[in-house]
Amino acid sequence: MDQASELKWAEKGEYLDCLRVWQKVYSPEVFADDWGTPAEFQRFLIGRVDGQVAFAAVVCDYPTYVRGQVLDCAGIAAVGTLPEFRGSGTGQAMMDATVGLIREAGYQIATLYAFREPFYRKSGFEASGWRWQIKCPIHQLPKCECTLPVREVAPGDIRCVEECYVKFAKRFNGSCARFGPHWVRRLGKKPPQIYAVGDPVEGYLWCNPHGFWNDLEIGEIAWSTPRGYEALLGLMRTLGINKSNAVWSEPPESGFARRFLDGNVEMVRHRPTMFAIVDAQTTLARMGADCNQFSLEFMGETIGTGSKVELNRLQLAQAVMGSPSLAEMVRWGEVGGDERALGYLQTILNPMPVCCMEFF
C-alpha cells in the first residue's frame, strides 16, 4: 500500500466504522448491530485510504490441528472493501497487509472461506480441504441398530462432548482446537437441540428437528468410534421420521461414502477452505522437519540450509496441510529440486485429509 493507505487493528472507537463497512458490503440483515463488538477470540481490522474508511475484516483466533500439533491459526472472515474503493487495487493491498499483520501477531498459518479463490491466491492462500454435504432421503438412511444410550445435552453442558470432538477432529488437518468461547460461537445465539450417544460419549449431533416434511438439517456431527457413527445414523432416522431428507456434512474421509452410499443420495463438495503459511520457519519446525535436510525460498527468505527444493508459497500451504499432497505435486512434475531433499520432505509432509468444520 502507498503512504495514503493504512491497515491496522481496530480500536474500540473504530468498531462501528467496521460494522458500517460490513453492512454496506454484506447488508444489515447479515451483519446486525450486535456485530459492533468482537467476540472474545476475535479482533477487527480496519483499512483507510486518504483517511477514509475503505476496508474491514475479522481475524478469529482459531488454534488448529495440523499433523498432531496445534498451530496458532488466524481465521479471516468478513473481508469487505467499500464499492467506491474497488478496482484500484485497494482490496488486494489490504489483504497483503493483513497477512503481514497476522504474522507480526504470532500466527503460523491462516485460513478462510473464499468467495473468489483467485483474489486470495494473490496474497498467499491456496485451496486445501473441503467437506461433503450429504442429502439422504430419510427412508434410505441405513437401519443401524443403536446399542448406545441416547441423551439430550443442554447447551450449557456441551463440554461433555469435548473428548469425542477432539478424537474426531485430530483425524484430519484444519479443524479447530476449540476452547469455551468457540463452542458458544459454534452453537449460535439460538442453540439447537444436541444429542449424544454413549457414556462416555462416542458421538453427537445437533439439529433443529421441528416441522413436518421439511429437511432435517444437522448442524454438526462427530464421532469417535464406528458404533458411535452407526448410532448417530440410527438417531437421524428416528429424528427424521416426519421429514423428507437428512442433510449433514462430513470430512473428506466420509464414513457414509465408504460404508452406506445408496442410490438417490446426493454428495457434493461443500465449503472448500484456503490456507496460507504465515511463518514457514516455525510451521516446519513444529512439523518436526530437520532444516539441514533441505532449503526453500519463502517470501524473500531462505528456509533451511540443505539442498534446494523448488516449492512456492502456495504449494507449501498445500504440502503442509496434506491435500493435495507434496507427493502428488512431485508426481505431476509441479515441484522440483534436489531429489533427496524432496524425498525427505515427503516423509514429513505425507498426504492427509483436510477439513475445517467451523463457520466464520
Side-chain angles (χ1 to χ4, degrees), residues 12 21 90 119 165 181 202 208 210 230 242 278 288 316 340 351:
K12 187 174 182 180
V21 172
T90 295
F119 172 79
Y165 168 78
E202 296 182 38
N208 182 348
H210 305 301
E230 292 175 6
N242 295 321
V278 178
L316 180 62
R340 182 173 295 180

Side-chain angles (χ1 to χ4, degrees), residues 161-271:
V161 308
E162 190 168 35
E163 184 176 349
C164 175
Y165 168 78
V166 170
K167 290 179 180 178
F168 175 77
K170 281 186 173 180
R171 292 174 177 160
F172 41 87
N173 294 335
S175 191
C176 179
R178 296 174 183 163
F179 56 90
H182 288 132
W183 284 103
V184 174
R185 182 78 174 183
R186 186 71 179 88
L187 290 171
K189 297 174 186 176
K190 296 180 179 179
Q193 291 181 216
I194 308 163
Y195 296 93
V197 297
D199 186 15
V201 176
E202 296 182 38
Y204 70 88
L205 62 78
W206 64 66
C207 64
N208 182 348
H210 305 301
F212 292 86
W213 309 122
N214 53 337
D215 288 342
L216 176 68
E217 296 186 356
I218 309 297
E220 180 165 292
I221 178 173
W223 61 94
S224 58
T225 65
R227 69 177 185 175
Y229 181 64
E230 292 175 6
L232 291 174
L233 292 178
L235 177 60
M236 275 196 271
R237 192 178 180 96
T238 300
L239 291 170
I241 196 166
N242 295 321
K243 304 287 187 179
S244 299
N245 305 286
V247 180
W248 73 97
S249 294
E250 292 188 8
E253 290 189 336
S254 168
F256 195 88
R258 287 198 313 274
R259 303 172 59 194
F260 300 114
L261 191 59
D262 194 358
N264 294 326
V265 175
E266 299 176 14
M267 295 186 66
V268 296
R269 290 192 176 198
H270 182 59
R271 300 279 283 180

Side-chain angles (χ1 to χ4, degrees), residues 10-149:
E11 299 174 7
K12 187 174 182 180
E14 298 170 307
Y15 292 166
L16 288 180
D17 290 327
C18 295
L19 178 61
R20 293 188 189 102
V21 172
W22 297 324
Q23 288 182 336
K24 287 184 179 180
V25 172
Y26 294 96
S27 87
E29 287 73 29
V30 175
F31 284 86
D33 290 346
D34 57 3
W35 266 86
T37 303
E40 182 177 337
F41 56 92
Q42 293 178 333
R43 295 175 72 182
F44 292 171
L45 285 171
I46 188 166
R48 289 185 172 84
V49 175
D50 294 329
Q52 299 182 58
V53 176
F55 174 93
V58 177
V59 175
C60 304
D61 183 15
Y62 274 120
T64 296
Y65 294 113
V66 180
R67 301 182 181 277
Q69 302 294 316
V70 177
L71 298 187
D72 294 322
C73 178
I76 301 173
V79 174
T81 303
L82 290 176
E84 58 266 36
F85 294 98
R86 296 174 189 169
S88 62
T90 295
Q92 197 72 69
M94 294 288 180
M95 275 306 304
D96 291 344
T98 295
V99 173
L101 282 180
I102 61 177
R103 182 177 184 179
E104 291 174 7
Y107 292 99
Q108 286 102 49
I109 62 174
T111 186
L112 52 80
Y113 296 107
F115 174 67
R116 289 291 309 279
E117 282 81 358
F119 172 79
Y120 294 100
R121 196 167 280 131
K122 294 176 184 177
S123 296
F125 291 83
E126 188 52 281
S128 181
W130 42 274
R131 53 184 105 146
W132 286 114
Q133 186 177 72
I134 305 172
K135 184 176 182 179
C136 178
I138 295 298
H139 70 275
Q140 287 188 246
L141 285 167
K143 295 180 180 179
C144 299
E145 280 192 37
C146 183
T147 59
L148 298 175

